[in-house]
Amino acid sequence: TVDIEPDHQSLARKAFTDHEVANRRFRLIAGAALDVLPKLSDAAYDIVFVDGDRLEYGECVEEGLRLLRPGGLLILNYALWHGKVADQTNEEDETIVVREALLALQEREDLAVTLLPVGGGLLVAAR
């Protein structure tokens, strides 16, 4: 996980530890996503979960795809963005960025993409 909030990092560590996930199976990195992601190794991760600043979704998706191993999953949270993404008249910046990220993923032939209408919407793309 990459998170700028120390409290989130502590909660994540506790959750992994409580569920007996081995330390070698997860990484907790403090920092802003677009500062940290470019420094991580290509094709080294099984899951990339994007859930941050909606205005950075496009860049985070591209970095996430670079980080994924074959067979890995990219998961985009708030893919429906409170129903705003489907409203083609909605021109809010965050909505446009999320919509563009979804379209970019759907157009890729190297991914199997599905949209799950749970919570704020989850887009799951399997490489």
Side-chain angles (χ1 to χ4, degrees):
T1 177
V2 175
D3 202 311
I4 203 161
E5 296 292 333
D7 291 344
H8 296 173
Q9 294 281 330
S10 294
L11 290 170
R13 180 173 305 286
K14 181 175 179 352
F16 288 130
T17 302
D18 287 352
H19 288 89
E20 300 178 358
V21 176
N23 285 339
R24 70 185 192 307
R25 299 292 299 158
F26 67 90
R27 256 179 107 179
L28 302 175
I29 304 169
L34 292 181
D35 292 337
V36 173
L37 294 177
K39 298 174 185 175
L40 300 177
S41 299
D42 292 357
Y45 295 86
D46 296 315
I47 298 174
V48 175
F49 183 79
V50 178
D51 180 30
D53 183 344
R54 306 302 167 249
L55 294 175
E56 296 177 349
Y57 263 31
E59 294 95 330
C60 286
V61 164
E62 286 304 314
E63 287 294 329
L65 290 172
R66 179 186 62 76
L67 298 173
L68 277 184
R69 289 183 175 133
L73 298 176
L74 179 99
I75 303 169
L76 188 66
N77 200 23
Y78 288 108
L80 297 174
W81 192 232
H82 306 291
K84 296 178 181 182
V85 171
D87 178 3
Q88 293 299 317
T89 64
N90 187 310
E91 298 282 329
E92 295 172 358
D93 290 343
E94 289 178 322
T95 302
I96 291 169
V97 171
V98 172
R99 190 180 295 135
E100 288 173 351
L102 295 177
L103 290 172
L105 288 167
Q106 289 172 339
E107 291 174 353
R108 293 183 62 120
E109 293 186 16
D110 62 332
L111 300 174
V113 179
T114 190
L115 182 61
L116 304 172
V118 296
L122 289 174
L123 180 127
V124 179
R127 168 161 281 161

